[in-house]
Amino acid sequence: MKYAIIGAGPAGIEAASVLAAHGKEVTLFEKAPSPLKNIADKAFLFPNFAPADEMVQTLDKKLQNELITVLYDTEITDLSRVALTGTVESYGDYAATMPQSSFAIPSEWKLTDAKGHTYFANKVLVTTGYTPFDAHRKEELGYGIYKGIHTSIEMEKMIRHKLFFLMIRRPPRRIVFLQCVGSRDEKSGNHYCSKVCCVTAVKQAIEVKKLLPNTDVFVFYMDLRMWGQGFEEMYRQSQETYGVRFVRGRISEASGTFDGRVQIKAEDTLMGLPMKMTTDLLVLMVGMEASEGTRQIGHSCNICGDYGFIHTIDPHLQDNLTSHKDLYAAGTCKRPMSLTDSVNDARAAALAMLDS
Amino acid sequence: MNNFSIYVIPFCTGVLLLLGFSVLKYWRWIKRFDKLQQAIIRKNIWSWKFLPAIWEAFREGLLHWRIAKKNWLLGYMHRSLAFGWFLLIVVGFVQALLAFPDGHPFWMAIFYNYFVHEDNLLVFPDAPLFADIMDALLLYVLSGLALAVFKKLWSRPLGMKRTTRHTPLDRVTKFALWCIFPLRLLSETATSAIYHNGGFLIQWLGNGMAGIGIADPYFEYICWLLYSIALGTFFALMPFSRYMHIFTEIFLIYFRQLGVRDNADQKSGYTMFELNACSRCGICIDGCPINKELDITNIQGVYLLQSIRNHDWRKRQVSIAENCLMCDRCVADCPVNIDLNVMRRHVRIQNKRPIDTSGNYSYLDTVQPFNAIGRVAYFGGCMSHLTPGTTEAMERIFQAAGQKYWYMDRDRSICCGRPLLQQGFTTQANELRRKNTELIVNSGATMLITSCPICYRSFKEEYHLPIPVFHHTEYIDYLLTAGRIKLRKSDRRVAYHDPCELGRGCGIYDEPRRILDATSTLLKTKDEREHSRCCGFNLGNTTLDTEEQRKIRNAALENLRQPNPDVIATACPACKKAFTRAEEFPVEDVAEIVAENLIS
């Protein structure tokens, strides 16, 4: 039995380590030159403020297993089912006619990478993950046009460097976070909630307050979804201990001022008033979108669901199975998920692969 | 020789009814002209403007030039019916005049063959020639009629995907019209079977008919009676059906040439002429993006006019009038050049009247006046606030050109009023226009430049400002020609999207293209200039939901991406926002492309 995992993020690595622990040979395909691209530059993890580096190191260590082979710079562009005799089956017919349990012709997965190399595996797990929403698409928020407007990803990097670059320029007097940029947004076409931005903003606001206690921190939100264990407490703490201020309302537009700050126009929907505010930094909490790899695999195997995420059979009991036999999915390639959920999901996927 | 028969009565009644109702209607409409229109007519009525009017009426009313340009077969169909019938009547009158120099009743031209059998006896020297001409003309009309029948079955070869659904009255009238010419052929043949008169066609057919033994005066009489009834029915129904356009179009062309325009706020006499000049040809249906992408086929210009003319209940008129992007595509397509969107706005205004007077204008007075003597005024517009890339680029261009400017809505902005006007809120729009005019005039700025085609059209058409108004593409084009800015040529391939309000609305097609030609490689797209597709997010429509707007936008995007450009350029912030929302394909305003390639 050969196992292949596409994408060496937290989910991919976790699943690989579980499979390896059960004595299976696993090949990991990663299109970047190093693993864990999305969390490598994070500072701390919610809700316990554990340094992200620890997590990265732990996961990295799990890769040091002789049963796990990692192929970097290998972008899987096509996934198809071939019979062991060597003839390529027509994919759509296969899915439609063959019941999953009775598999007449012994066959396996053929993975083709961007350079044209082919690999074969019996079981494939897709962990191609997400990509942050491109804030340029919300031009009214001025990202990429005015100074002082950043995404939450960039903010996390800055926090990792203790806001060093921010401090040499000029210690900010005020920082504004804006929730739901590119998620729950009719106009950009993403109706879903990205799930992690609310708590990330609370976390980043606390970290900013820890580093710069005299800076005003505002968070503009539609509603705050503190769904996880410890999140609500963190939200409360941010207000009581750190004095972060939360404003219910959306920012409609942001523009630069003559002295290089940012002016925002918004509405405070609890007060029922329009407002203007000048800030040194505007942080856009960008949502999650299906990554390009996810879309590509989804299209090549016809398992593309809503918004380009991968569609699984059943969200409750068969959440790791796709409509194809021996093709599994885990992590944020299915829907927005926190890191915790993603890693757990990967373990579940590994078990599902071992079971069948 | 006899010159009366009882069967001419239906025809005469029809003609009298037509004349009576037409005069009555035209008189009522002319009385409804508002003061401005009356003044214009009085001023220009004795000028030479009737000469181009006659030429246009001949070209459009008879030859159907604009339709022929769209599709020559469709043009031929309309031309043969209109021009052919016209010639048939004219030549018929000449023929009757020559045959009866002492005078004759007016139906003689129509029923000439029944009364005059003595072709071969030389009533007048050129009689056989006339008979041949009349036959040829009848053949010409019949060929058009055949095409019309063919079009009803299969309209694609005539360049129309969809045709109009007509009202029952229109159908009856059309049936009467279609009967006229075959019945004329039949009647003349029946006469010819007995007397062997007529031209090459009728004689040949008459001999054939006599050959099979039908040479019966009673049959002949019935044929002529049916012909007369068909004519009479058509004429009697004409003032109440779409065929009222035949005469009304001539009046409309004349008034338009005199310089009369529609009243933007309410129905006027001119509106009535426009309403009745619509022949319901349905050419406006195919181009409409709401028909093309969403398959909604009951809201196009032709149905709006039909609904207004038929006095449909208000709810129906409103539902038609509200569901429109106001992209002006139908106005560009209309062969009669009817300003459909003005009439659409009339219905919207009527509908919004009860809530039009409400509104809070206190914020208007918080906008501070500014002394901008020696500067140009720059009005970004509300939509440009959502695309700060454009305004930023314009500021850089002003600086590069060394032009002092006043960015009048940088901080506090007042809407130009056009979005309100599009929805029918005239009182509210007037308040905004009053304040903006005051600000601009008092500032002393030398010209007004705007980045938004919606504002541009508003300032140009609805404001009557004492200073010139430019869209930024016009202004950049001027800067380039004057040598005040210099651009480097990049190797990017650009597809340009014509915004509705800038292109079809204000006729600005070449300026942005000249600019783009100077900085990049401009690609041709399939539907461009006046055929450009709406981006779907036009402010004219408030009834479509986002999903439907997206469909229209995707069709426009597909057209733009088809030549495989590196970047899509446009000159309207609303279009730009619509396209950037779609997916990650680079979309830039013309101003941004210019700002990137400035040589300072």
Side-chain angles (χ1 to χ4, degrees), chain A residues 9-63:
Chain A
I13 293 173
E14 185 65 27
S17 76
V18 173
L19 291 171
H22 285 76
K24 308 290 183 190
E25 221 175 278
V26 189
T27 315
L28 259 169
F29 298 92
E30 171 59 48
K31 79 170 172 187
S34 61
L36 299 165
K37 200 183 88 210
N38 272 337
I39 65 160
D41 47 14
K42 300 280 181 288
F44 301 97
L45 306 176
F46 57 79
N48 58 353
F49 292 94
D53 286 346
E54 278 179 17
M55 173 97 171
V56 172
Q57 281 159 16
T58 319
L59 286 170
D60 245 349
K61 223 172 273 169
K62 289 187 180 180
L63 280 181

Side-chain angles (χ1 to χ4, degrees), chain B residues 176-390:
Chain B
L177 174 68
W178 281 10
C179 284
I180 290 173
F181 304 102
L183 281 173
R184 178 173 178 138
L185 184 77
L186 187 67
S187 322
E188 291 189 341
T189 307
T191 306
S192 174
I194 305 170
Y195 304 102
H196 307 290
N197 61 350
F200 64 96
L201 176 72
I202 299 294
Q203 268 187 14
W204 179 68
L205 285 174
N207 290 337
M209 196 181 258
I212 57 170
I214 309 174
D216 185 356
Y218 288 106
F219 178 69
E220 181 204 5
Y221 187 84
I222 287 169
C223 287
W224 284 100
L225 179 66
L226 286 175
Y227 172 52
S228 170
I229 289 174
L231 273 171
T233 317
F234 177 70
F235 287 143
L237 294 180
M238 209 169 116
F240 312 100
S241 71
R242 67 196 185 102
Y243 293 99
M244 190 61 178
H245 80 268
I246 296 173
F247 298 127
T248 314
E249 192 181 343
I250 298 167
F251 283 91
L252 181 72
I253 288 169
Y254 180 60
F255 289 132
R256 201 190 284 142
Q257 288 284 359
L258 288 187
V260 183
R261 292 291 176 271
D262 212 345
N263 184 331
D265 295 339
Q266 58 187 8
K267 263 194 211 170
S268 61
Y270 187 78
T271 322
M272 298 311 295
F273 278 100
E274 281 198 314
L275 273 181
N276 287 277
C278 171
S279 65
R280 296 181 197 159
C281 60
I283 287 176
C284 52
I285 299 174
D286 279 342
C288 177
I290 292 188
N291 162 37
K292 251 194 217 162
E293 315 314 332
L294 307 178
D295 249 350
I296 299 173
T297 57
N298 54 358
I299 52 92
Q300 281 75 18
V302 52
Y303 297 115
L304 176 84
L305 264 54
Q306 197 180 54
S307 172
I308 300 176
R309 236 190 102 178
N310 292 352
H311 303 285
D312 279 355
W313 27 301
R314 204 173 118 190
K315 227 175 165 182
R316 171 151 176 74
Q317 283 190 28
V318 168
S319 75
I320 292 178
E322 293 283 344
N323 196 1
C324 168
L325 292 156
M326 303 287 229
C327 71
D328 276 355
R329 176 67 200 265
C330 48
V331 180
D333 278 349
C334 179
V336 196
N337 277 356
I338 298 174
D339 202 340
L340 296 156
N341 280 348
V342 174
M343 274 175 270
R344 212 172 264 279
R345 228 179 315 158
H346 289 160
V347 182
R348 290 186 178 188
I349 289 170
Q350 256 178 339
N351 186 35
K352 303 289 166 55
R353 194 157 287 155
I355 46 171
D356 190 17
T357 44
S358 63
N360 175 4
Y361 307 109
S362 57
Y363 75 96
L364 291 181
D365 294 325
T366 63
V367 181
Q368 295 300 316
F370 186 85
N371 180 0
I373 292 173
R375 295 168 188 248
V376 298
Y378 174 61
F379 189 90
C382 321
M383 288 307 293
S384 304
H385 281 267
L386 301 181
T387 56
T390 310

